[in-house]
């Protein structure tokens, strides 16, 4: 009776190899540019790009923007997803598109929050996540326009 080796008895059906991904910074740059371009195209209001690398492991960049109505918020989020897919990034998920008050688009390295202004003010994500640093993509036209404006508050 011949005794076969254990690994000969059960051959591997297939073996997968993982390719090494590019560093997070290299992956996030085109994605971040696509997101900010989509926000600019859809005329998103009060766009903030926050660098959250030192604050959390879930993402490198958090983008917060507002829309004028629930339909506008949903449209902005849809455009962000379309642009991300166009540059080769598939979203991990989207939440809140049915109600349209706050839509979150999870793009792994970049998390996008699109909200109605009253919802944004209530939750205050900027106060929670702002470390004082802004990401490099703040130089897009929409963000530069918003950064150049002074907010007028009625007395």
């Amino acid at each position: 009776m011949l005794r076969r080796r254990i690994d000969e008895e059960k051959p591997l059906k297939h073996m997968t190899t993982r390719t090494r991904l590019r560093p997070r910074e290299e992956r996030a740059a085109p994605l971040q540019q696509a997101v900010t371009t989509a926000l600019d195209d859809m005329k998103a209001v009060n766009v903030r790009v926050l660098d959250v690398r030192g604050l959390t492991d879930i993402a490198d960049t958090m983008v917060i923007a507002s829309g004028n109505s629930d339909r506008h918020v949903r449209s902005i989020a849809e455009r962000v997803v379309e642009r991300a897919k166009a540059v080769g990034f598939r979203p991990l998920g989207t939440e809140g598109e049915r109600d349209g008050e706050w839509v979150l688009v999870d793009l792994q390295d970049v998390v996008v929050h699109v909200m109605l202004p009253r919802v944004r003010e209530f939750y205050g994500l900027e106060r929670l996540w702002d470390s004082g640093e802004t990401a490099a993509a703040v130089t897009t036209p929409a963000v530069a326009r918003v950064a150049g404006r002074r907010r007028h508050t009625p007395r």
Side-chain angles (χ1 to χ4, degrees):
M1 178 177 205
L2 277 172
R3 189 172 235 181
R4 293 170 57 183
R5 290 178 44 202
I6 293 173
D7 55 344
E8 288 177 352
E9 290 177 13
K10 295 181 183 178
L12 295 174
K13 292 181 181 178
H14 59 71
M15 187 173 224
T16 59
T17 58
R18 295 182 68 187
T19 58
R20 177 162 257 191
L21 295 174
R22 292 179 288 173
R24 284 183 145 189
E25 294 81 22
E26 289 180 25
R27 289 191 316 242
L31 177 59
Q32 190 173 332
Q33 184 63 38
V35 167
T36 53
T37 301
L39 294 172
D40 187 39
D41 289 350
M42 294 302 293
K43 310 247 187 291
V45 181
N46 198 10
V47 178
R48 291 282 312 267
V49 180
L50 305 174
D51 183 357
V52 294
R53 280 181 285 195
L55 303 173
T56 184
D57 292 335
I58 61 169
D60 292 339
T61 306
M62 187 173 296
V63 180
I64 305 170
S66 296
N68 298 322
S69 66
D70 57 347
R71 182 176 288 190
H72 189 213
V73 168
R74 285 192 299 267
S75 297
I76 292 169
E78 286 174 13
R79 179 64 60 96
V80 167
V81 170
E82 288 172 7
R83 287 289 171 106
K85 286 181 179 178
V87 295
F89 293 91
R90 187 170 164 217
L92 293 177
T94 57
E95 293 291 328
E97 60 272 346
R98 188 170 55 132
D99 294 331
E101 291 185 350
W102 179 354
V103 180
L104 180 135
V105 181
D106 186 353
L107 298 165
Q108 192 171 0
D109 293 328
V110 178
V111 176
V112 182
H113 298 272
V114 185
M115 312 171 170
L116 290 175
R118 64 178 169 78
V119 175
R120 184 173 178 173
E121 184 177 335
F122 180 79
Y123 287 102
L125 292 181
E126 288 95 342
R127 290 188 308 268
L128 292 173
W129 291 103
D130 193 7
S131 65
E133 299 175 21
T134 54
V138 176
T139 58
T140 62
V143 178
R145 270 198 318 268
V146 171
R149 291 187 208 151
R150 291 190 64 183
R151 188 173 181 184
H152 176 70
T153 55
R155 294 182 184 202

